[in-house]
């Protein structure tokens, strides 16, 4: 089943995207900062969410990990 139609998979993909973008921005900030608008601006926005809401994102990642490990 596709991640679009399964809500838990969709949340997992979004969390992975946010964490990956925040990690890439910590390594190479200029890579994401030059694309603040347009289609590639989505990655910049995900990096900003990952940086500013990092405790909440971390808790969501932990909850999602336990959910995937123990409920499936």
């Amino acid at each position: 089943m596709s991640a679009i139609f399964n809500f838990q998979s969709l949340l997992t993909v979004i969390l992975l995207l946010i964490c990956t973008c925040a990690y890439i921005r910590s390594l190479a900030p200029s890579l994401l900062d030059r694309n603040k608008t347009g289609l590639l601006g989505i990655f910049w926005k995900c990096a900003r969410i990952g940086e500013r809401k990092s405790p909440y994102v971390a808790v969501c990642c932990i909850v999602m990990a336990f959910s995937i490990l123990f409920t499936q």
Side-chain angles (χ1 to χ4, degrees):
M1 194 172 209
S2 175
I4 295 172
F5 301 115
N6 188 352
F7 186 68
Q8 185 175 5
S9 298
L10 180 65
L11 287 178
T12 304
V13 169
I14 290 171
L15 278 173
L16 286 173
L17 180 67
I18 289 171
C19 294
T20 304
C21 289
Y23 179 71
I24 289 173
R25 189 169 188 281
S26 71
L27 292 179
S30 62
L31 188 66
L32 291 176
D33 285 345
R34 63 179 171 211
N35 298 319
K36 291 184 180 179
T37 59
L39 185 62
L40 295 177
I42 294 170
F43 300 118
W44 179 78
K45 290 174 186 173
C46 287
R48 297 299 283 182
I49 291 170
E51 290 171 351
R52 293 186 179 196
K53 302 289 185 188
S54 60
Y56 299 114
V57 172
V59 168
C60 288
C61 286
I62 292 169
V63 169
M64 185 61 69
F66 280 113
S67 171
I68 288 171
L69 288 173
F70 298 118
T71 62
Q72 290 184 350

